[in-house]
């Protein structure tokens, strides 16, 4: 490994990774806090604007040679990176849990485990060329008919800035870095300020795998300057961002001025339509993942339940009982299901939304009070019933372990309520009538719909309608997202 330090006294903290070297930050370090204990995890580097630009310049210099590297060699490097992650699986998971507040099972399975799997997924070479049917051109520039052949070729975009989310410091960055590198791009990674140290461990794994200097660069910062520089730098050709819609809108404005490509995975307020004939056990356990999966800090969560009146009371009772059985506490303890949220400020924001729901007339059926724990940023699993579509707790993304429930009468009303949202990332339908479930799903304005499940197929396109984002990734779709399509045409 590089010898970079992830924690220690101020001044001896983590270094930046720029141009294949571990570089001291110009602007010192800032503390990374464990959300469960409020203790120090380590010292993260504060990159200056000049250092971010240097990272982009290094990526620009490395782009030519890397883009000409045979795809098989790029794929083999990604496979070696997955192996390097696997060798240090446990310490990497421990760091991820400490930074993000994830439970041990989540840190191992859904964070580091998924991160390694994504590198391994893109270690598989896929064709970058697609022959197109010949076309008879009857009005060519030189007169007369001609048969024209064509080939669609995927080319790398160039230098990609990857700005990642705090809720998963492994799977989210890996989902950007791996397909971008597989397509021949180079990257500048700007991790979330709350848990950046894991992303430097990912850089270590790539370094151990033999990534050439400048192909991968990691720069962090607690202030806005680092992210701004990583977006507006002239050496950057594309920005891949996961985060809030508000920040995504500002990034898109900058990208628009520079005509930079974008991939935006933004906020969500997933509707869960539950019909009278639904399997209630399946619906309750699926919706209940909102509480246990990253403590509700996930944009795909079914946080906005729309329940048909015939099943409404039983569903509310089931969700309340489910929430009441969940153990909230230290995420390192084996029995813990719900860990902390990322910070004190975010805990206060979630609690303010719960109080707003009370004032708007919602009924607090479960939770609503801070768990009686001495340390850590904990929020009790909370259920708000008897909500209406115009309440702010129904319309706005809370990003915490809070579920709201709205009643509906018939199918048309249910669909209208589900679509009455600024967001459209992933919605869900529960019904015993599979034909109706598919019929309803096709009418929902969302990038994905789970039918009687909250499970994901990791080869299916992922992205949102409306203010939930721009573009699609995951599986082969990510290779398209990080490429430009070039048409080659010739006389046949």
């Amino acid at each position: 490994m590089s010898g970079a330090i992830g924690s220690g006294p101020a001044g001896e903290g983590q270094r930046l990774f720029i141009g294949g070297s571990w570089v001291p930050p110009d602007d010192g370090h800032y503390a990374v806090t464990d959300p469960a204990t409020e203790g120090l995890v380590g010292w993260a580097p504060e990159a200056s604007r000049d250092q971010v630009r240097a990272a982009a310049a290094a990526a620009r210099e490395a782009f030519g040679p890397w883009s000409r590297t045979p795809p098989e060699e790029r794929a083999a490097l990604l496979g070696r990176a997955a192996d390097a992650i696997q060798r240090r699986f446990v310490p990497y998971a421990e760091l991820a849990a400490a930074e993000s507040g994830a439970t041990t099972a989540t840190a191992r399975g859904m964070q580091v485990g998924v991160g390694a799997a994504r590198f391994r997924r893109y270690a598989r070479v896929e064709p970058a060329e697609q022959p197109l049917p010949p076309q008879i051109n009857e009005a060519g520039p030189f007169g007369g008919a001609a048969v024209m052949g064509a080939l669609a070729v995927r080319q790398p975009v160039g230098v990609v800035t990857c700005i990642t989310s705090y809720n998963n410091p492994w799977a989210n960055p890996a989902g950007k870095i791996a397909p971008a590198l597989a397509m021949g791009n180079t990257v500048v990674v700007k991790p979330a300020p709350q848990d950046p140290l894991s992303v430097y461990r990912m850089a270590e794994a790539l370094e151990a795998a033999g990534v050439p200097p400048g192909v991968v660069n990691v720069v962090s910062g607690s202030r806005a300057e680092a992210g701004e520089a990583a977006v507006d730098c002239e050496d950057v050709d594309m920005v891949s961002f996961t985060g809030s819609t508000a920040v995504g809108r500002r990034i898109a404005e900058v990208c628009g001025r520079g005509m930079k490509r974008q991939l935006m995975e933004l906020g969500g307020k997933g509707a869960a339509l539950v019909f009278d004939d639904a399997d209630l056990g399946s619906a309750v356990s699926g919706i209940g993942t909102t509480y246990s999966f990253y403590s509700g800090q996930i944009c795909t969560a079914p946080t906005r339940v729309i329940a048909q009146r015939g099943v409404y009371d039983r569903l509310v009772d089931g969700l309340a009982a489910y929430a009441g059985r969940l153990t909230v506490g230290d995420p390192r303890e084996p029995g813990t299901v719900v860990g902390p949220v990322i910070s004190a400020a975010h805990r206060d924001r979630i609690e303010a939304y719960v109080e707003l729901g009370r004032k708007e007339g919602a009924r607090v059926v479960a939770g609503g009070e801070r768990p009686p724990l001495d340390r850590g940023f904990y929020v009790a699993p909370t259920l708000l019933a008897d909500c209406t579509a115009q309440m702010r707790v129904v319309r706005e993304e809370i990003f915490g372990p809070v579920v709201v429930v709205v009643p509906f009468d018939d199918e048309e009303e249910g669909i209208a309520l589900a679509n009455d949202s600024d967001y459209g990332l992933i919605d869900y339908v529960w019904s015993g009538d599979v034909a109706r479930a598919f019929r309803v799903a096709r009418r929902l304005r969302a990038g994905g719909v789970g039918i009687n499940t909250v499970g994901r197929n990791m080869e299916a396109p992922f992205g949102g309608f409306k203010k939930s984002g721009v573009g699609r990734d995951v599986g082969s779709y990510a290779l398209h997202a990080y490429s430009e399509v070039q048409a080659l045409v010739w006389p046949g």
Side-chain angles (χ1 to χ4, degrees):
M1 293 297 174
S2 67
I5 301 170
S7 62
E12 296 180 8
Q14 174 67 53
R15 295 188 174 202
L16 306 165
F17 190 56
I18 300 175
S21 298
W22 295 93
V23 180
D26 287 345
D27 294 342
H29 293 82
Y30 67 92
V32 176
T33 301
D34 184 331
T37 67
E38 303 183 45
L40 177 69
V41 177
W43 296 96
E46 194 82 65
S48 67
R49 285 181 178 271
D50 286 344
Q51 287 182 308
V52 176
R53 295 189 184 101
R60 172 63 63 203
E61 184 176 353
F63 171 65
W66 180 249
S67 65
R68 294 189 294 270
T69 299
E72 294 79 9
E73 292 184 23
R74 299 196 299 256
L77 186 146
L78 296 177
R80 293 194 299 272
D83 292 340
I85 293 168
Q86 203 66 41
R87 285 194 295 270
R88 295 188 57 79
F89 184 88
V90 171
Y92 284 169
E94 289 173 349
L95 175 60
E99 286 192 287
S100 68
T103 63
T104 298
T106 296
R108 292 185 178 186
M110 300 306 298
Q111 294 187 348
V112 181
V114 171
R118 287 183 169 173
F119 277 102
R120 209 170 296 285
R121 161 64 179 85
Y122 294 104
R124 188 171 76 228
V125 178
E126 295 188 16
E129 300 179 354
Q130 178 185 359
L132 302 177
Q135 180 186 34
I136 298 176
N137 188 338
E138 297 181 350
F142 305 110
V147 177
M148 305 300 293
L151 187 67
V153 181
R154 290 206 307 270
Q155 299 276 17
V157 178
V159 176
V160 181
T161 284
C162 303
I163 302 178
T164 66
S165 60
Y166 70 73
N167 59 348
N168 196 323
W170 276 90
N172 186 255
K176 298 177 186 297
I177 296 169
L181 296 186
M183 275 307 307
N185 302 283
T186 55
V187 298
V188 176
V189 187
K190 164 58 177 67
Q194 297 92 338
D195 48 12
L197 299 177
S198 290
V199 183
Y200 287 104
R201 303 290 77 74
M202 192 179 299
E204 281 185 351
L206 284 158
E207 183 186 37
V211 68
V215 171
V216 174
N217 307 269
V218 183
V219 289
S220 57
S222 63
R223 304 188 296 266
E225 287 83 350
E228 290 171 353
V231 170
D232 64 23
C233 180
E234 290 184 359
D235 279 317
V236 171
D237 301 296
M238 174 180 172
V239 176
S240 175
F241 171 72
T242 300
S244 72
T245 297
V247 175
R249 183 183 293 113
R250 295 199 294 271
I251 291 173
E253 290 170 355
V254 175
C255 289
R257 291 196 294 270
M259 297 302 292
K260 297 179 181 181
R261 290 280 303 276
Q262 305 165 44
L263 179 61
M264 297 279 180
E265 198 271 281
L266 307 177
K269 190 74 174 180
L273 270 168
V274 183
F275 286 90
D276 284 348
D277 60 354
D279 179 334
L280 275 190
S282 172
V284 167
S285 61
I287 295 164
T289 61
T290 297
Y291 301 130
S292 56
F293 200 44
Y294 303 124
S295 301
Q297 299 168 112
I298 185 163
C299 50
T300 59
T303 55
R304 185 168 54 106
V305 179
I306 301 170
Q308 199 162 16
R309 289 191 188 275
V311 76
Y312 179 86
D313 289 337
R314 285 184 292 145
L315 182 64
V316 169
D317 290 344
L319 287 170
Y322 185 97
R325 290 194 298 268
L326 301 177
T327 301
V328 181
D330 186 342
R332 297 168 183 83
E333 293 296 325
T336 297
V337 179
V338 182
V341 297
I342 195 66
S343 66
H346 191 51
R347 176 193 60 196
D348 294 346
R349 177 181 178 273
I350 295 167
E351 290 177 342
Y353 265 111
V354 174
E355 184 58 30
L356 173 63
R358 282 193 178 100
K359 292 177 180 177
E360 290 180 316
R363 176 166 57 97
V364 180
V365 183
E369 296 180 355
R370 185 177 298 183
L373 298 167
D374 294 336
R375 293 188 304 263
F377 312 128
Y378 293 94
V379 176
T382 298
L383 181 66
L384 302 179
D386 302 343
C387 297
T388 65
Q390 298 311 310
M391 291 180 177
R392 285 180 57 193
V393 290
V394 174
R395 305 200 66 82
E396 298 176 12
E397 185 178 34
I398 298 173
F399 215 62
V402 180
V403 172
V404 301
V405 191
V406 179
F408 76 94
D409 288 307
D410 57 29
E411 183 175 309
E412 288 300 318
E413 183 188 12
I415 293 168
L417 286 169
N419 287 332
D420 184 16
S421 174
D422 290 336
Y423 299 106
L425 187 56
I426 295 186
D427 286 346
Y428 304 86
V429 179
W430 270 275
S431 173
D433 183 340
V434 176
R436 173 167 69 174
F438 274 87
R439 179 177 69 242
V440 169
R442 290 189 175 97
R443 293 184 60 189
L444 298 180
R445 298 290 296 165
V449 181
I451 298 173
N452 292 324
T453 183
V454 292
R456 291 265 306 279
N457 180 321
M458 298 311 295
E459 290 296 316
F462 179 73
F465 288 15
K466 298 182 278 188
K467 293 182 181 179
S468 285
V470 177
R472 297 292 183 272
D473 68 351
V474 179
S476 297
Y477 294 90
L479 298 174
H480 288 277
Y482 293 98
S483 63
E484 297 277 18
V485 179
Q486 180 185 58
L488 304 182
V489 180
W490 62 91

